[in-house]
Amino acid sequence: MRCPSFGQLLLTLSFSHFVLTARPDQVPLREEKGSLNGETTSETQKGDPSSWDTGRGQSRDGDLEVQQALTELRTLSSSSSRLSRLDKKSGLVGATAYYAKKGFVLLFMNGPSNDDYLTADMEPKKLSKPLSRAVALLEGAAKQHNPDALYLLAEMNFYGNYTHPRNYKRAFDRYNELAGLDGNSTAQYMLGFMYATGFGNVVNRDQARAMMYHTFAAKAGNTRSEMTIAYRHHSGIGTPRNCNEAVVWYKKVADKAIEYGRSGPPGGLPLVREAYRIADDHGGVYGEGASFSSAGANAAKGGPNSDQNADFDDVMEYLDLMSRKGDVKATFSLGRLNYDGSRAMKRNFKTARRYFMTVARQYWDKNDKIISDDNIGLGKVAAKAAAYIGRLHLRGEGVTQDFKKALRWFRLGLKNGDAYCQYEMGLMHLHGLGVPKDIMLAAGYFKESANQDWAASQINLGKLFLDQGDLKTAMTYFEAAHRYGHIEAVYHLAEISNFGIGRERSCPLATAYYKVVAEKAEALHSAFEEANKAYEDGDMETALINYMMAAEQGYEQAQANVAYLLDEHKSIVSIHSLLPWKTKASALFRNAALALIYWTRSAKQSNIDSAVKMGDYYLKGYGVEVDLEKAVSCYQAAAEVPQSAQALWNLGWMHENGIGAEQDFHLAKRFYDQALEINQESYLPVKLALLKLRARSWWNTVTHGKVNSIQPDPEEPKRFRTWSEWFANFYDDDDAYYPQYAGDDYYDPMPGGDDFYQDELDADLLETLAIVALAGALAFLVYYRQLRQQIHQRQNEQRNQGDAAAQGGEGELLPGQQQDGGFFPPPDDPNFDMWRAGGIGH
């Protein structure tokens, strides 16, 4: 096979980019869970069967019965009673209903235990009249092999739609009949899912059959099966690992993800992230402080005045308070939160625009003139607000789409050099949205914005350089945008790595890039939104199904969620087990072997807590035979960088007791010490374990046991330190006495107050020491001067006394000496003038 040249590959990549961006205003595409005849249906059509194209323009046997059944189903609720599935307290109403149901069962229905009591597996004795008539009509149509009737019956039995009780065996039979009838890709996907997981205990897990059905569905274009097949080839599940196969299937999904992201209004559709680990809401798998996700370096380090542990509602309340006080940054933050949305709050464009307008009108008047240019900070925030207001008008979000108004606001923001406005102006000129199309002018705007590290502008510049054949410059911009996880940057890096453009082809790197791109487009193939809502509403069975589907597609968060829901060993003593209304969980949630499978898959994707959980399962024999060697391997893997304190503590315990490892008290102490060093919150359990360990080690030493006892740590020879060394060491080692203030990360100013003044304290201390030293030196100099004066005075007195004694002993004058003892002539002496003129002796 002849390899394509570099120019051909570059041309192919550029052409594919042109095709995908040729229609920026195309409508979004989305494949939904259920589809008639293998065709995709939109999300809005899922709950309304009447909107489906059931006939393809041709009349089939049973179509009339299906239409009559749909008429009956419209009178029913789209889902079963929430109270019948309420397993989790959610809010005041949910908690009241939960405990009311439990109290009623305890008082009036306290009979023999039933494994599946009050679960969705119990089929009611009688269906409602409309549902009974609809089911009868669909059953009649199904006997005539009507695919729509088969599909509706399968979905109702599997998901419990229209208050129909769940029956996974009947659902499997209907999906199997539908798949064999016309090769419906959705039915094939569901069969592959049930064979892969053994869900509902309908069939045994059979990975070979799962691969077969998923492959058929993927060949038919089913996106969820494409994701599943790609992950299986990537991880070697049910088939040998094959990077080339994985990259092919991941690329198919990544292409759809990019097409989906570029569709919609200018700028593309937002890719909302719904995937998260439900255990993190409870502090992690092992709870707050014990889990790797909430301990050590990942622990909340906020001080008493920090909002580190604040609830989302508390943050919103605080921002609203500051906004009312005139804080423009708080007002802008409220606008951002309402525009972007989150898991705790839906997007609200009108509210966002109101906040942005409030900020903008504090800087510009209605005539777009600056009110006051004294406040530079206000101008920057107002420019950001103008960018969002213009974006709302550009995309028609919350307002009527108006390119002129968008251009007006972008130009206001440009005056303050806002990077977002520069990007949006470049986008308008690139596509000719309300302005003449000018690629060079657009590139100029992108350049200015990219210089401020705006990822979207870097992407567009990279694509423009790629179209011109400048791969080196394009790669520079793609890699810069990749730092922010931009989906298009990752996609282009995947394309370059896959086709080997300008570098050697790297299949593993391309697969990793494509996987990231595919997983960012959750709306195309995953059910995280439905799973999260079901979990919050207490519908654990629906949550488990949807999380499990996402887990089979390779989402690590979903794998951790499934394992967490199936885990029956969250704690040694559960408070729930002590309640009088304790009931056994449904058989769906009593599957330790399946939980171990998902713990393992999650651990392979670098989840440290999942690796520790794997060790627990092998250590205790949950869902698998006890394997101490594998337990130690799991703990050792989790104890490596990044280290898990829980894994280190477990290794210490195993070495202390000689379980799965050689009994060694000294090595056990080292693991305990490392656990405490990593996680200070483990102080109490570690100290108790060390106390017991030292007692056992002492007894082992006294009795001359064979176990290696705790050995004293080698001590360094003591060396005399000078006063300066002692003072420097004392000043530098304050962190040892005040660990809560140690490090450069501690910075916890009081809201509205001054910054922390540690540097000022340090400066004041040094100044005080310097002043004391100078004062001491000055006092010493004064004392020394006085001492020298006293010595000099005593010496003079002694000298004078000696001179007087000498004069008293000699009565004769020397030659030339006068009577007063001097040798110079007095002023009245005739020789005085000669002496004054220097004439003496001349």
Side-chain angles (χ1 to χ4, degrees):
M1 178 178 177
R2 181 183 178 184
C3 295
S5 64
F6 170 79
Q8 291 173 329
L9 291 175
L10 186 60
L11 181 62
T12 302
L13 183 59
S14 300
F15 179 74
S16 64
H17 157 64
F18 172 77
V19 171
L20 289 176
T21 57
R23 297 178 57 198
D25 57 341
Q26 67 185 100
V27 296
L29 301 177
R30 172 168 180 171
E31 179 181 344
E32 204 27 76
K33 294 181 180 58
S35 58
L36 295 175
N37 305 314
E39 297 178 343
T40 59
T41 59
S42 67
E43 182 180 12
T44 57
Q45 293 173 330
K46 177 188 173 185
D48 186 8
S50 63
S51 61
W52 295 333
D53 182 11
T54 58
R56 292 191 179 184
Q58 299 178 0
S59 177
R60 296 171 301 186
D61 294 338
D63 280 352
L64 180 60
E65 289 83 350
V66 171
Q67 294 298 328
Q68 292 175 350
L70 292 177
T71 303
E72 295 287 348
L73 291 176
R74 292 192 192 99
T75 63
L76 301 173
S77 173
S78 61
S79 62
S80 62
S81 173
R82 179 170 179 253
L83 182 60
S84 65
R85 301 182 186 180
L86 197 59
D87 297 324
K88 173 177 173 289
K89 300 179 289 296
S90 57
L92 179 61
V93 177
T96 303
Y98 176 82
Y99 288 112
K101 182 184 70 173
K102 294 300 183 182
F104 179 81
V105 172
L106 178 65
L107 294 175
F108 304 106
M109 302 178 64
N110 192 12
S113 62
N114 188 335
D115 288 351
D116 293 329
Y117 182 60
L118 284 182
T119 66
D121 294 333
M122 295 183 61
E123 185 174 352
K125 296 180 180 180
K126 187 177 181 180
L127 302 178
S128 63
K129 292 183 178 180
L131 182 59
S132 299
R133 291 193 294 265
V135 170
L137 289 169
L138 292 174
E139 292 283 357
K143 291 180 180 179
Q144 303 178 50
H145 305 292
N146 185 285
D148 297 343
L150 292 171
Y151 175 79
L152 282 171
L153 288 172
E155 293 283 287
M156 291 167 63
N157 280 280
F158 189 85
Y159 291 105
N161 295 336
Y162 303 103
T163 70
H164 193 282
R166 283 185 167 124
N167 190 314
Y168 299 114
K169 180 63 173 65
R170 293 180 182 176
F172 177 84
D173 293 338
R174 294 301 183 184
Y175 284 131
N176 192 30
E177 185 178 356
L178 180 60
L181 181 65
D182 61 357
N184 183 283
S185 65
T186 301
Q188 292 170 342
Y189 165 77
M190 294 301 297
L191 291 174
F193 169 76
M194 298 183 80
Y195 273 116
T197 61
F199 192 81
N201 296 322
V202 175
V203 292
N204 295 326
R205 289 198 300 272
D206 190 335
Q207 301 303 332
R209 287 178 180 268
M211 279 292 297
M212 179 187 68
Y213 281 113
H214 279 306
T215 302
F216 286 151
K219 292 287 186 180
N222 187 287
T223 309
R224 292 184 298 165
S225 284
E226 289 174 346
M227 276 286 289
T228 306
I229 286 293
Y231 176 67
R232 285 174 168 265
H233 284 296
H234 177 60
S235 302
I237 301 175
T239 183
R241 296 187 63 178
N242 190 326
C243 181
N244 290 322
E245 283 292 326
V247 77
V248 168
W249 292 109
Y250 271 131
K251 175 173 168 52
K252 290 180 179 293
V253 184
D255 290 341
K256 295 180 181 179
I258 291 298
E259 184 180 3
Y260 172 77
R262 290 173 178 171
S263 62
L269 292 175
L271 300 177
V272 181
R273 189 71 170 171
E274 297 286 350
Y276 81 104
R277 302 181 188 92
I278 57 179
D280 290 346
D281 288 345
H282 307 285
V285 174
Y286 292 97
E288 189 74 32
S291 306
F292 175 80
S293 60
S294 62
N298 298 320
K301 298 181 180 180
N305 297 315
S306 172
D307 61 352
Q308 183 72 33
N309 299 310
D311 184 77
F312 181 80
D313 293 335
D314 296 334
V315 175
M316 292 293 294
E317 184 177 355
Y318 173 75
L319 290 176
D320 182 67
L321 175 63
M322 297 304 296
S323 176
R324 293 176 184 274
K325 291 183 177 181
D327 190 333
V328 292
K329 291 184 178 179
T331 306
F332 176 78
S333 298
L334 286 171
R336 278 286 307 274
L337 288 171
N338 280 275
Y339 181 84
D340 295 333
S342 66
R343 188 163 57 90
M345 182 177 68
K346 294 182 179 181
R347 305 180 73 186
N348 191 325
F349 298 128
K350 292 185 178 180
T351 303
R353 183 177 182 275
R354 177 168 56 84
Y355 283 120
F356 292 141
M357 288 296 296
T358 301
V359 175
R361 287 309 176 202
Q362 293 189 37
Y363 188 72
W364 294 291
D365 59 16
K366 294 183 178 180
N367 296 322
D368 298 340
K369 294 183 179 180
I370 299 176
I371 299 175
S372 176
D373 56 357
D374 295 336
N375 193 338
I376 300 177
L378 175 60
K380 291 184 177 297
V381 178
K384 296 180 182 297
Y388 277 95
I389 297 173
R391 182 177 177 83
L392 290 170
H393 287 288
L394 178 66
R395 295 167 58 88
E397 296 172 329
V399 294
T400 304
Q401 190 175 37
D402 192 327
F403 294 150
K404 291 184 179 180
K405 290 184 178 180
L407 187 63
R408 168 196 170 194
W409 285 104
F410 292 148
R411 286 174 175 171
L412 288 176
L414 282 177
K415 296 178 181 179
N416 288 334
D418 184 71
Y420 204 171
C421 290
Q422 292 167 349
Y423 160 72
E424 296 289 3
M425 286 292 292
L427 195 66
M428 294 184 72
H429 284 283
L430 181 65
H431 298 293
L433 304 175
V435 293
K437 188 174 182 179
D438 191 334
I439 297 180
M440 295 301 298
L441 184 58
Y445 283 120
F446 289 145
K447 178 69 174 178
E448 294 178 2
S449 179
N451 290 337
Q452 300 187 54
D453 210 16
W454 194 262
S457 294
Q458 293 168 342
I459 288 295
N460 282 277
L461 270 179
K463 290 190 291 187
L464 291 175
F465 278 106
L466 184 65
D467 291 341
Q468 297 298 320
D470 190 347
L471 179 64
K472 183 178 180 180
T473 305
M475 282 289 297
T476 302
Y477 284 113
F478 290 148
E479 290 174 350
H482 176 238
R483 293 178 294 122
Y484 298 97
H486 199 288
I487 183 173
E488 291 214 25
V490 183
Y491 176 76
H492 282 90
L493 291 176
E495 293 280 85
I496 292 171
S497 299
N498 184 34
F499 292 107
I501 302 176
R503 60 173 65 178
E504 186 178 355
R505 182 179 185 269
S506 176
C507 182
L509 186 59
T511 303
Y513 281 142
Y514 281 134
K515 185 176 186 293
V516 172
V517 175
E519 290 185 352
K520 283 182 176 292
E522 297 175 3
L524 280 176
H525 46 69
S526 73
F528 272 107
E529 184 177 2
E530 292 85 349
N532 295 340
K533 185 178 185 305
Y535 178 78
E536 293 171 359
D537 290 343
D539 188 357
M540 296 302 174
E541 195 166 342
T542 300
L544 179 64
I545 291 173
N546 290 310
Y547 282 137
M548 197 174 290
M549 289 180 173
E552 288 295 308
Q553 295 168 0
Y555 282 94
E556 186 278 321
Q557 298 91 338
Q559 293 167 351
N561 291 346
V562 173
Y564 183 75
L565 291 176
L566 296 177
D567 185 25
E568 300 182 75
H569 310 282
K570 295 182 175 65
S571 60
I572 298 177
V573 179
S574 175
I575 298 178
H576 177 72
S577 63
L578 303 177
L579 297 177
W581 53 68
K582 174 188 174 184
T583 57
K584 292 184 178 180
S586 168
L588 293 173
F589 295 88
R590 298 199 305 272
N591 196 332
L594 191 60
L596 178 59
I597 289 175
Y598 287 109
W599 285 129
T600 303
R601 294 180 184 178
S602 175
K604 287 183 177 180
Q605 299 197 64
S606 303
N607 188 314
I608 303 301
D609 287 329
S610 295
V612 180
K613 265 294 183 181
M614 284 178 60
D616 294 346
Y617 274 55
Y618 285 117
L619 177 64
K620 299 295 184 180
Y622 299 147
V624 68
E625 294 183 0
V626 174
D627 192 330
L628 299 180
E629 184 178 352
K630 287 186 177 180
V632 172
S633 299
C634 293
Y635 292 144
Q636 288 177 342
E640 295 176 356
V641 180
Q643 293 178 318
S644 167
Q646 182 71 40
L648 289 168
W649 196 95
N650 292 348
L651 287 172
W653 179 85
M654 296 182 78
H655 279 286
E656 177 186 354
N657 297 281
I659 299 176
E662 182 181 359
Q663 192 172 16
D664 190 328
F665 293 152
H666 185 71
L667 188 57
K669 179 181 180 298
R670 289 183 57 186
F671 282 120
Y672 285 142
D673 290 338
Q674 289 180 14
L676 180 59
E677 182 181 353
I678 293 173
N679 183 9
Q680 295 297 324
E681 294 187 28
S682 64
Y683 179 86
L684 180 59
V686 168
K687 289 300 181 182
L688 292 176
L690 286 174
L691 182 63
K692 177 170 66 77
L693 179 64
R694 290 184 183 278
R696 295 183 64 182
S697 177
W698 174 82
W699 181 254
N700 178 72
T701 303
V702 171
T703 59
H704 304 287
K706 298 181 180 180
V707 182
N708 183 27
S709 298
I710 299 176
Q711 305 296 326
D713 296 331
E715 297 183 359
E716 296 181 359
K718 294 185 178 180
R719 184 179 64 87
F720 176 75
R721 292 184 300 178
T722 63
W723 183 86
S724 60
E725 291 177 342
W726 179 89
F727 179 79
N729 184 72
F730 174 81
Y731 186 73
D732 292 340
D733 284 353
D734 273 351
D735 292 349
Y737 298 95
Y738 305 100
Q740 65 271 30
Y741 304 111
D744 297 332
D745 293 336
Y746 181 79
Y747 181 77
D748 187 19
M750 181 179 295
D754 296 332
D755 292 344
F756 189 65
Y757 48 88
Q758 181 67 43
D759 295 338
E760 297 180 5
L761 290 177
D762 295 342
D764 292 342
L765 178 60
L766 293 176
E767 291 177 2
T768 302
L769 293 175
I771 293 173
V772 171
L774 291 175
L778 181 62
F780 175 77
L781 291 175
V782 171
Y783 169 76
Y784 181 76
R785 182 174 179 273
Q786 291 178 350
L787 181 62
R788 293 289 298 174
Q789 288 178 347
Q790 292 176 0
I791 295 174
H792 183 68
Q793 184 178 2
R794 285 196 296 269
Q795 290 176 350
N796 289 338
E797 290 177 355
Q798 293 175 359
R799 189 183 302 110
N800 292 335
Q801 291 177 0
D803 291 345
Q807 292 176 5
E810 299 180 0
E812 298 181 359
L813 299 174
L814 297 175
Q817 186 178 10
Q818 302 176 11
Q819 295 296 327
D820 58 0
F823 288 90
F824 301 105
D828 56 350
D829 193 297
N831 296 323
F832 177 77
D833 293 333
M834 296 178 62
W835 169 81
R836 184 174 57 181
I840 297 178
H842 298 284

